[in-house]
Amino acid sequence: MTALSEIEQELQATFPAHSYQEWKDAAEALLKGKPFEKVLVTPTYEGFELQPIFREEDRALLPFAADLPGAGSYVRARSASGVVGGRWKVSQEQTGARASELNAALKQDLNGGVTEVHVVLDYASQKGIDADLAREGEVGGCGLSLTTLEDLEIALDGVDLREVSLFVESGTSAVAVYQMLRAYASKRGIDLKQLHGNLGADPIGFWARNGGSPLKMEAAIKELAGPVSDLKESALGVIYVDGNVFHNAGSSAVQELGFSLAVANAYFKLLHEQGLDVGVIASSMRLGLGIGSHYFLEIAKLRASRLLWSRMLRAWGVELDVLPLHLHARTSIWNKTQVDPYVNMLRVTSEAFSAVIGGCDSLHVGPFDEVVRQPDAFSRRIARNVHTILAEECDLTRVIDPAGGSYYVEWLTDQVAQKAWQWFQKVEAEGGILAAMKSGMVQRSIADVAAKRLSNIETRRDVIVGTNQYANATEKPLDPRPVDYAALKAERAAAVAVAKGRASVGDDLAQAFLDGATLGEVVAGYREGRVEDVIEALPTRRAAEAYEALRAASASYRAQHGHAPRIFQANWGPSRSYRMRADWTSAFYQAGGFEVINDTDFESVDSLTQALSNSGAAVAVITSSDEAYAEWAETLARAIKSVDASIYVILAGAPGESEQRWRDAGVDDFVNVRVNNYQMLERLMKRTGGIA
């Protein structure tokens, strides 16, 4: 012990402790006059600033700093053992358009490591991949694959629901789905109390995503009282608060969490009015959050969700021995791309890591092609294996709250919790989430953040790898393999007609399914005479959509002309003297799907103009060094215009005091880091005929 003390003293003498101010002074000296706050402090869409370093004092005074896992604020974990006591559920969404396809995919996934049967009844509209998905006339978002009890039997053939968790995202159709499940259980001699999972009732989420609901929200929520009460002694929950509806509309992390809390609170209020205990309601809930690409922020968001959930329940007077919250995480749709889709594999891996470190109870890892088409066996396998790698190779199941004690994550968790609670309070001040959605307050606030995000993407302050930066100029797109929904609808018409002929929808809704009724009939039967509720929708958006439209226009042009719209890069002089500018310029235009002709460094005006003439390009970009521009910019601009006066001439760089002189010589525009990338690409796509 004495020797160790001597070593410590020697180390302290050799490496004396420094104050934060000393560190900051040294950092500012290295910045050589550049402002510390601008260079090293990062603002976020959530409204707080990320510092370059965090210290013990940043977490020492936090209200949850001394909390242990499974206690207090529950920030550190829902239970004392965290994931060490049991791995998160591998909850991969199943999306087959036919019941038989759903069954085949489900069996394959269960054999590959999936531990929860996760069915999304309205997959295409939720994920934004096919707005024209036909629902066979069903009410409330029921998908084509599960319409009758027979469909459910086919889909679950060979699956024992007593051995695996069940999660159905049923939107506004949960009561009918519950009755169908009752019929299924009755037919197989299964006690519903033996089942576990969640029926996924989220009428508010459906309403928000679609801009309407088959009936008034208050009525849609109150009808859940029956299933919640019936299942209160079981491990099968009923309600799913899906924060992805806010996340994938472009919200900030704190908006997503705050609005999700407000949705949960609306369920508490309206079901409590039906005589249900709030503790029972909470135990019947599952909270879903989207996981984006900001690694530490998403960890903090999940940790903050437990803190705020416990705070809200205590405000309702619920005593907490164990936090009754199942936290479901889903990798983001907002940041996924149809172009260069294999990059999505990297995105979901980072997101899944965040979700597990943050303490999710179940997780869906999106297949890399999910925003292009129905995922195939290969993409589903890659997604499943992310779970396995995190658990078996990264050993994340051996650590309780691995982020605990991190100065940065703890501080960030507190910031997220504070800001999210402020949004929750704003919504409650409006009269609750229903009133805030009807007034448009929620939609406007999310639209403001989404607009900032999209603006930063257009100027490439925010990077989407493979889309607005580092585009693959020779990419071959995935085969979309579209589902012929019209044919599928026609195929199912006869079977549905037979079911309707047998149906006897009455008070016993489970019996109606046993008699052959469809989901749509059952829903319509018990909702007869109710009125639709319409608001402004929060549709699923993706950050890359505008760029993907440019790439689609380029592909269409290529199909007609044999090549993409062309831009001639007039590299003047040996490009090794301006290589970064030359590469940057090529990449700038390739993000829009342009074919950039950039393979020659020209030494003579004649060779440049001849090559330009042979290219047939309608746009030419003069690219060289600032020194060369001083001597050659005017000459080159005039020479290019002499080939064809209609050629649009751009100069790569900032013009400074020479702008007017160069414009007089024929330069039409300039490209540099201050230029809005998307807006220039769109203008040039129109100019070259790629967009009418």
Side-chain angles (χ1 to χ4, degrees):
M1 184 65 68
T2 303
L4 181 61
S5 178
E6 291 173 354
I7 292 172
E8 288 178 333
Q9 291 175 15
E10 183 177 345
L11 286 172
Q12 289 176 359
T14 306
F15 303 103
H18 295 287
S19 68
Y20 173 75
Q21 190 58 51
E22 287 176 309
W23 174 87
K24 185 176 180 182
D25 291 342
E28 289 178 330
L30 290 173
L31 291 174
K32 297 180 180 179
K34 294 179 181 178
F36 179 92
E37 287 73 17
K38 185 174 182 179
V39 177
L40 295 180
V41 176
T42 305
T44 72
Y45 295 107
E46 287 68 30
F48 39 79
E49 296 181 330
L50 304 181
Q51 299 296 320
I53 65 170
F54 289 86
R55 300 149 291 139
E56 166 62 26
E57 49 263 45
D58 289 314
R59 72 173 293 275
L61 298 179
L62 297 180
F64 52 81
D67 286 358
L68 296 175
S73 63
Y74 295 94
V75 162
R76 301 200 60 192
R78 183 166 163 250
S79 66
S81 56
V83 294
V84 175
R87 179 173 155 182
W88 64 93
K89 294 184 186 301
V90 180
S91 183
Q92 294 298 105
E93 296 169 0
Q94 304 297 325
T95 60
R98 294 173 174 84
S100 57
E101 294 172 356
L102 188 63
N103 178 254
L106 179 56
K107 286 180 176 177
Q108 189 176 53
D109 283 1
L110 287 170
N111 288 332
V114 162
T115 57
E116 180 166 74
V117 175
H118 183 172
V119 179
V120 184
L121 293 186
D122 192 18
Y123 178 81
S125 91
Q126 286 196 33
K127 310 316 171 198
I129 61 171
D130 190 343
D132 297 323
L133 170 62
R135 299 194 196 116
E136 187 253 333
E138 299 292 353
V139 179
C142 304
L144 288 164
S145 59
L146 293 179
T147 300
T148 65
L149 177 58
E150 183 180 0
D151 290 332
L152 184 63
E153 291 178 303
I154 293 171
L156 295 179
D157 180 47
V159 178
D160 188 346
L161 290 183
R162 290 167 295 190
E163 300 298 326
V164 63
S165 179
L166 173 66
F167 179 25
V168 183
E169 293 190 46
S170 55
T172 63
S173 306
V175 172
V177 170
Y178 166 58
Q179 297 296 344
M180 179 187 279
L181 191 61
R182 278 188 64 215
Y184 176 86
S186 171
K187 197 169 181 180
R188 276 168 171 65
I190 298 173
D191 185 346
L192 283 183
K193 292 182 180 179
Q194 295 177 289
L195 306 187
H196 55 287
N198 193 280
L199 298 180
D202 188 23
I204 296 177
F206 180 93
W207 183 55
R209 181 180 291 110
N210 293 279
S213 169
L215 70 167
K216 291 291 185 182
M217 268 300 98
E218 290 82 355
I221 294 168
K222 288 179 179 180
E223 72 180 22
L224 300 177
V228 171
S229 180
D230 291 349
L231 296 170
K232 65 183 178 181
E233 301 298 330
S234 78
L236 186 62
V238 174
I239 302 167
Y240 177 46
V241 178
D242 186 8
N244 286 276
V245 68
F246 308 115
H247 176 97
N248 290 324
S251 75
S252 69
V254 293
Q255 286 176 327
E256 176 192 0
L257 180 52
F259 295 154
S260 297
L261 293 171
V263 170
N265 204 43
Y267 291 141
F268 288 151
K269 286 179 181 177
L270 289 168
L271 291 175
H272 186 56
E273 290 176 5
Q274 298 298 104
L276 290 174
D277 180 79
V278 172
V280 170
I281 303 167
S283 297
S284 189
M285 275 191 189
R286 178 177 290 203
L287 172 63
L289 295 174
I291 307 298
S293 55
H294 195 310
Y295 177 73
F296 290 105
L297 178 60
E298 298 301 338
I299 294 172
K301 182 175 72 179
L302 295 191
R303 300 173 92 242
S305 70
R306 291 191 292 273
L307 184 156
L308 297 183
W309 197 269
S310 64
R311 178 186 296 178
M312 185 166 63
L313 289 182
R314 287 185 174 112
W316 274 99
V318 177
E319 295 295 328
L320 299 177
D321 294 325
V322 177
L323 183 67
L325 172 65
H326 181 108
L327 186 54
H328 178 71
R330 192 208 193 281
T331 56
S332 179
I333 291 291
W334 162 263
N335 65 355
K336 299 307 180 294
T337 60
Q338 294 181 347
V339 299
D340 212 344
Y342 297 102
V343 180
N344 292 333
M345 293 185 189
L346 305 178
R347 295 185 178 108
V348 299
T349 301
S350 170
E351 292 161 12
F353 207 111
S354 292
V356 173
I357 296 295
C360 68
D361 298 296
S362 58
L363 170 64
H364 167 82
V365 175
F368 72 89
D369 57 350
E370 70 174 344
V371 298
V372 179
R373 61 194 183 189
Q374 293 284 347
D376 61 15
F378 172 72
S379 64
R380 294 201 320 273
R381 178 173 180 265
I382 294 296
R384 289 196 311 267
N385 284 349
V386 172
H387 295 270
T388 306
I389 290 169
L390 294 179
E392 305 297 336
E393 295 189 17
C394 298
D395 284 336
L396 295 187
T397 56
R398 297 189 179 190
V399 185
I400 303 173
D401 186 26
S406 163
Y407 306 151
Y408 177 28
V409 174
E410 299 280 25
W411 175 87
L412 194 54
T413 298
D414 181 63
Q415 290 292 305
V416 171
Q418 289 188 44
K419 296 288 186 181
W421 192 253
Q422 289 171 10
W423 277 108
F424 170 69
Q425 291 176 317
K426 287 180 183 178
V427 171
E428 293 304 302
E430 287 271 324
I433 192 69
L434 303 187
M437 291 292 295
K438 289 176 181 178
S439 71
M441 175 270 206
V442 170
Q443 295 92 322
R444 287 192 301 272
S445 62
I446 292 176
D448 287 345
V449 174
K452 292 174 184 175
R453 289 183 184 275
L454 294 174
S455 176
N456 285 339
I457 289 166
E458 289 184 359
T459 57
R460 304 201 297 183
R461 290 187 180 91
D462 288 354
V463 174
I464 306 176
V465 174
T467 301
N468 70 345
Q469 289 265 38
Y470 315 111
N472 180 0
T474 61
E475 177 186 356
K476 294 182 180 179
L478 292 176
D479 176 5
R481 297 197 307 266
V483 177
D484 188 344
Y485 289 112
L488 185 59
K489 183 177 179 180
E491 173 189 316
R492 292 190 54 75
V496 171
V498 170
K500 288 182 177 180
R502 299 198 310 263
S504 58
V505 180
D507 292 335
D508 189 345
L509 300 179
Q511 184 61 46
F513 282 112
L514 290 168
D515 291 342
T518 68
L519 275 170
E521 287 182 295
V522 170
V523 172
Y526 69 75
R527 287 180 178 165
E528 186 175 357
R530 298 185 183 180
V531 183
E532 185 174 1
D533 209 347
V534 180
I535 56 168
E536 179 187 348
L538 280 173
T540 297
R541 301 185 180 101
R542 289 184 301 104
E545 286 175 328
Y547 279 89
E548 290 170 354
L550 293 178
R551 300 281 277 273
S554 172
S556 178
Y557 185 98
R558 183 187 299 110
Q560 297 177 44
H561 299 87
H563 60 81
R566 287 174 171 164
I567 292 178
F568 182 84
Q569 189 164 316
N571 294 331
W572 184 251
S575 60
R576 62 179 177 271
S577 64
Y578 55 90
R579 172 50 52 198
M580 289 183 64
R581 175 175 284 170
D583 291 345
W584 182 92
T585 301
S586 296
F588 185 96
Y589 294 110
Q590 287 167 347
F594 289 93
E595 179 185 337
V596 181
I597 302 170
N598 61 358
D599 55 356
T600 305
D601 295 346
F602 296 99
E603 300 288 346
S604 73
V605 173
D606 288 344
S607 62
L608 187 153
T609 55
Q610 184 61 52
L612 173 59
S613 180
N614 293 340
S615 73
V619 178
V621 186
I622 299 170
T623 311
S624 192
S625 63
D626 291 344
E627 293 77 11
Y629 289 155
E631 182 178 356
W632 288 99
E634 294 165 89
T635 300
L636 296 174
R638 292 190 180 99
I640 291 170
K641 288 291 188 182
S642 72
V643 174
D644 186 338
S646 68
I647 292 176
Y648 195 72
V649 180
I650 302 170
L651 186 140
E657 296 178 356
S658 302
E659 179 172 358
Q660 191 57 54
R661 180 160 51 87
W662 291 346
R663 285 190 181 276
D664 291 343
V667 175
D668 297 296
D669 209 344
F670 300 89
V671 60
N672 52 63
V673 294
R674 295 182 181 85
V675 169
N676 184 299
N677 176 253
Y678 172 76
Q679 291 178 6
M680 175 173 275
L681 295 177
E682 184 184 41
R683 289 198 307 271
L684 295 182
M685 190 62 73
K686 292 177 179 178
R687 190 174 190 88
T688 57
I691 297 177

